[in-house]
């Protein structure tokens, strides 16, 4: 999908304020409301925007400990079965199948270090996991940093059109 400067501005605006609404966005951008709605619909339909939703901060509702865990799985199990086994553990907030020495990378949150141990034990008890290695996050500098990348694509398209 080709992204232009208006698409980039719309995404940036809704990223900064998901509650803004289409009418307020159209006024702020100086374009017609149906234009903003059509662009949002197109971005959603093509999957560029997966959803407009609140971004929850687990630390603010009782889960201040975060860790990244590399997981080795039983080779006779497969990643789909592991995904199903791990999905039932609510403290696992992300899961990726990866290449390299490990098979799966997950991000988990916990109430405390003791609670982190409980979650790691739950992961090990699934029967699909042979080993875990964890790294506790000490400080988050940024996360979900996709908007700058999206803006780069928009700028490149505008520059190409200007040539």
């Amino acid at each position: 999908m080709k992204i232009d400067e208006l698409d980039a501005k719309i995404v940036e605006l809704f990223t900064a304020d998901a509650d803004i609404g289409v009418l307020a966005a159209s006024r702020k951008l100086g374009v017609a409301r149906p234009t903003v709605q059509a662009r949002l619909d197109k971005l959603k339909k093509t999957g560029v925007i997966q959803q407009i939703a609140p971004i929850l901060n687990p630390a603010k509702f009782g889960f201040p400990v975060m860790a990244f865990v590399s997981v080795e799985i039983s080779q006779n199990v497969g990643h789909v079965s592991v995904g199903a086994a791990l999905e039932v553990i609510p403290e696992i907030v992300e899961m990726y199948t990866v290449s390299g020495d490990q098979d799966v990378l997950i991000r988990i949150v916990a109430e405390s270090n003791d609670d982190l141990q409980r979650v790691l034990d739950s992961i090990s008890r699934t029967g699909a996991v042979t080993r875990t290695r964890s790294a506790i996050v000490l400080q988050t500098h940024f996360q979900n940093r996709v908007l700058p990348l999206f803006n780069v694509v928009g700028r490149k398209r505008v520059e190409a059109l200007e040539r």
Side-chain angles (χ1 to χ4, degrees), residues 13 30 77-78 84 136 152-154:
L13 188 59
V77 175
I136 297 174
V152 166
V153 171

PDB file of all heavy atoms in Angstrom, residues 13 30 77-78 84 136 152-154:
ATOM      1  N   LEU A  13      -1.662  11.554  14.285  1.00  0.00           N
ATOM      2  CA  LEU A  13      -2.674  12.203  15.113  1.00  0.00           C
ATOM      3  C   LEU A  13      -3.427  11.188  15.978  1.00  0.00           C
ATOM      4  O   LEU A  13      -3.598  11.383  17.181  1.00  0.00           O
ATOM      5  CB  LEU A  13      -3.651  12.974  14.215  1.00  0.00           C
ATOM      6  CG  LEU A  13      -4.658  13.875  14.897  1.00  0.00           C
ATOM      7  CD1 LEU A  13      -3.968  14.939  15.738  1.00  0.00           C
ATOM      8  CD2 LEU A  13      -5.535  14.543  13.842  1.00  0.00           C
ATOM      9  N   GLY A  30      -7.351  20.055   8.615  1.00  0.00           N
ATOM     10  CA  GLY A  30      -7.822  20.951   7.563  1.00  0.00           C
ATOM     11  C   GLY A  30      -8.297  20.229   6.311  1.00  0.00           C
ATOM     12  O   GLY A  30      -8.166  20.746   5.199  1.00  0.00           O
ATOM     13  N   VAL A  77       7.165 -31.200  19.642  1.00  0.00           N
ATOM     14  CA  VAL A  77       5.926 -30.514  19.978  1.00  0.00           C
ATOM     15  C   VAL A  77       5.530 -29.503  18.907  1.00  0.00           C
ATOM     16  O   VAL A  77       4.406 -29.485  18.440  1.00  0.00           O
ATOM     17  CB  VAL A  77       6.038 -29.818  21.366  1.00  0.00           C
ATOM     18  CG1 VAL A  77       4.807 -29.007  21.668  1.00  0.00           C
ATOM     19  CG2 VAL A  77       6.294 -30.846  22.442  1.00  0.00           C
ATOM     20  N   GLY A  78       6.438 -28.627  18.525  1.00  0.00           N
ATOM     21  CA  GLY A  78       6.133 -27.607  17.536  1.00  0.00           C
ATOM     22  C   GLY A  78       5.621 -26.316  18.161  1.00  0.00           C
ATOM     23  O   GLY A  78       5.044 -26.320  19.250  1.00  0.00           O
ATOM     24  N   ALA A  84      -0.352 -22.482  22.015  1.00  0.00           N
ATOM     25  CA  ALA A  84      -1.622 -22.791  22.682  1.00  0.00           C
ATOM     26  C   ALA A  84      -1.411 -23.015  24.179  1.00  0.00           C
ATOM     27  O   ALA A  84      -2.222 -22.580  24.999  1.00  0.00           O
ATOM     28  CB  ALA A  84      -2.253 -24.023  22.038  1.00  0.00           C
ATOM     29  N   ILE A 136      15.403  -9.774  33.195  1.00  0.00           N
ATOM     30  CA  ILE A 136      14.458  -8.840  33.807  1.00  0.00           C
ATOM     31  C   ILE A 136      14.745  -7.438  33.278  1.00  0.00           C
ATOM     32  O   ILE A 136      15.888  -6.999  33.223  1.00  0.00           O
ATOM     33  CB  ILE A 136      14.555  -8.868  35.342  1.00  0.00           C
ATOM     34  CG1 ILE A 136      14.169 -10.255  35.862  1.00  0.00           C
ATOM     35  CG2 ILE A 136      13.686  -7.789  35.967  1.00  0.00           C
ATOM     36  CD1 ILE A 136      14.368 -10.438  37.352  1.00  0.00           C
ATOM     37  N   VAL A 152       8.783   7.691   8.049  1.00  0.00           N
ATOM     38  CA  VAL A 152       9.853   7.608   7.055  1.00  0.00           C
ATOM     39  C   VAL A 152       9.276   7.165   5.714  1.00  0.00           C
ATOM     40  O   VAL A 152       9.588   7.730   4.669  1.00  0.00           O
ATOM     41  CB  VAL A 152      10.973   6.638   7.515  1.00  0.00           C
ATOM     42  CG1 VAL A 152      11.904   6.290   6.373  1.00  0.00           C
ATOM     43  CG2 VAL A 152      11.744   7.241   8.670  1.00  0.00           C
ATOM     44  N   VAL A 153       8.403   6.175   5.732  1.00  0.00           N
ATOM     45  CA  VAL A 153       7.771   5.685   4.504  1.00  0.00           C
ATOM     46  C   VAL A 153       6.963   6.809   3.862  1.00  0.00           C
ATOM     47  O   VAL A 153       7.045   7.036   2.654  1.00  0.00           O
ATOM     48  CB  VAL A 153       6.873   4.457   4.795  1.00  0.00           C
ATOM     49  CG1 VAL A 153       6.055   4.080   3.580  1.00  0.00           C
ATOM     50  CG2 VAL A 153       7.719   3.288   5.249  1.00  0.00           C
ATOM     51  N   GLY A 154       6.187   7.533   4.657  1.00  0.00           N
ATOM     52  CA  GLY A 154       5.394   8.641   4.139  1.00  0.00           C
ATOM     53  C   GLY A 154       6.262   9.724   3.518  1.00  0.00           C
ATOM     54  O   GLY A 154       5.966  10.241   2.440  1.00  0.00           O
TER      55      GLY A 154
END
